[in-house]
Amino acid sequence: MAGLSAEPYKGTRDFYPEDMRIRDYIFSTWRHVVESYGYEAYDAPLLEPLDVYAAKSGQELVNEQTYQFTDRGDRRVAIRPELTPSVSRMIARKRQEVAFPARWYNIGQFMRYERPQRGREREFWQLNVDIFGVNGSKPEAEIITLGSQILQSFGADEKMYVIRINNRKVINFMMAHYLGLDTVQAQLMIKLFDRKGKIPHEAFRDQAIEIFGDAAASDGLKKIAELLAAKSMADLPESIRDSDAVREVQDLFTLLEQAGITNARFDITLMRGLDYYTGTVFEFFDTHPENNRSLFGGGRYDGLVGLFGAEPVSAVGMAPGYSMTELFLTAHNLLPVMNSSTELYMVVLPDADEGAATLAKELRQQGVKVEVDITERKVDKQLKTAIKKQIPYVIFVGESELKSKVYPLKSTADGSEEKLSFERLVSKILDRRTRSHAADDDVFDIG
RNA sequence: GCGGAUGUAGCUCAGCAGGUUAGAGCGCUGGUUUGUGGCACCGGAGGCCGUGGGUUCGAACCCCAUCAUUCGCCCCA
């Protein structure tokens, strides 16, 4: 027999217990932070009719990057490649019943068929956070603040990332009225701006000339240079600055400043690929030299709910992904050492099986998470197993302990050992748990 | 979908210009140590050298293809 491959399917990964501890840590941090802002959990189906995505996500996403198939009833369906269309559908369906503003979040699993890369897999997990039913800049400010708070709850400071912000209305105004481009030219120019950081200056200039056409090129290049030189909105050319779109962005920056955000930057080249964004778009960027990339992003998408036949509902959201978060935390050395969730490992000595089982039962009734060694191996082997599993405490149970009811409790972290009665044993272990939770609360303290 | 790099033990990698039985460190496992780990010493297991084909008397090594991983492009939820 040739044997089956033990490798996971392309673009997916296995989560072993030690990986799962990290994942749980990241998920629970996400959950703590968003719930502290009043967001409530929801979920949507794994499968959606294909045309849910066809409408607004962008052609390439739908045609090339979805896992799709025809079901037994001849329906075209796709495994969800993102959640925004689904949540918009859910909002539309209960348009009359939902209490607005609705603050919803989801931590879920998605698939997209594309070439796996660092930080980008075919199967991935992400947090979706959305606020529905509020116009103006306050929802954007809240979502961006939330994104910032999430990173800081992992221990990051504002030097580790930068927030880039732009606005689709500014982009449209700029393309049409300032640069005088038609729809086709504007599309091309948006793509070009998007790639600005990745291509040489000469290539950027040459392609810009091509889009303008010879006649308009020299004037157009001058205007683009002016735009790119703008480090803040105050630097923008007068004719752009004096527009509702720009005033909207200014409002947002004022709110962010009030919220104490110091690392947000206006960036006229930030575009984002999704077709459904209608206003603010933003991206959190890692500033670490080895991981200089977009961590996650989001924006305003006021048109999506209305596509499902309901009255339009305004919406702002973002979606931090698991892989990028993990890379960010690793690059900045922010991942804590994660112990096993098991608290106590019971080393069982000869002829103590029965007594050990009873003791374990009593400990569990007190809420202690205890694993009993049932191998009958030598003590050193049993002890090594506990250490390898990163279980914080080990207890030795033999005939004499069962008789005296005093147990040696060993800490695997520092090797210290003390003899404790059952009650003190329980309180010591539960006390440790309380302390580590207290530490968690510090982390999640919203300043 | 396009380009570059890489594929040898569980992991990180050596394998000189093609020449008999393929190596190291770490890890795993047994013992020294029949109630206490991470140290030391002594043993042991574990590789169709990613896969298929070709060149050659002979291939881990050269050629072709394929798959996988990875970096970049495209795209980015």
Side-chain angles (χ1 to χ4, degrees), chain A residues 311-341:
Chain A
E311 268 178 67
V313 175
S314 59
V316 179
M318 68 173 176
Y322 175 76
S323 288
M324 287 309 307
T325 301
E326 192 185 19
L327 288 171
F328 174 80
L329 297 181
T330 304
H332 293 279
N333 203 17
L334 291 173
L335 274 180
V337 175
M338 305 298 290
N339 275 322
S340 168
S341 55

Side-chain angles (χ1 to χ4, degrees), chain A residues 169-189:
Chain A
K169 291 178 196 160
V170 174
I171 296 167
N172 294 337
F173 184 85
M174 169 177 87
M175 294 297 168
H177 299 284
Y178 185 63
L179 296 178
L181 299 173
D182 63 32
T183 317
V184 176
Q185 288 173 309
Q187 269 314 112
L188 293 170
M189 191 60 80

